[in-house]
Amino acid sequence: MTRKKVKLAYITNDSTRKATYKKRIKGLKNKMRELSTLCGIDTFAIMYNPYKSQPEITKVAEQLKKHCKENWENE
């Protein structure tokens, strides 16, 4: 089964555009976390947000270490 061809177009509705942006960023961070876990590497991304003046910098390895440490201490 093949996927349908996606028509790329600017999203004119402001709230829909922001919601779509947040979903895509969430998906990207999830893929970074998966890549970091599967390959045992540090992943790093700089994401420019059209709604903020400063870029968001994400380093997944530090978040994973913090999460693992918290879970380890809770057991």
Side-chain angles (χ1 to χ4, degrees):
M1 183 171 183
T2 61
R3 290 185 178 213
K4 293 181 182 178
K5 193 170 191 176
V6 177
K7 183 179 179 183
L8 299 178
Y10 182 75
I11 301 172
T12 55
N13 186 340
D14 211 27
S15 62
T16 304
R17 186 173 55 252
K18 287 180 182 180
T20 302
Y21 176 81
K22 287 181 181 181
K23 288 178 187 177
R24 289 183 179 174
I25 291 298
K26 184 179 177 182
L28 177 64
K29 288 180 182 179
N30 187 32
K31 291 294 181 185
M32 288 174 57
R33 182 181 49 78
E34 290 173 358
L35 181 65
S36 180
T37 302
L38 291 173
C39 300
I41 59 172
D42 294 343
T43 54
F44 182 82
I46 301 173
M47 295 172 275
Y48 292 93
N49 187 340
Y51 310 108
K52 295 181 183 176
S53 60
Q54 296 294 321
E56 181 181 347
I57 300 171
T58 305
K59 186 173 181 185
V60 175
E62 291 176 0
Q63 294 173 354
L64 283 173
K65 289 176 187 175
K66 181 180 177 183
H67 178 73
C68 292
K69 184 177 180 181
E70 289 173 358
N71 287 341
W72 182 263
E73 290 173 354
N74 290 338
E75 291 181 353

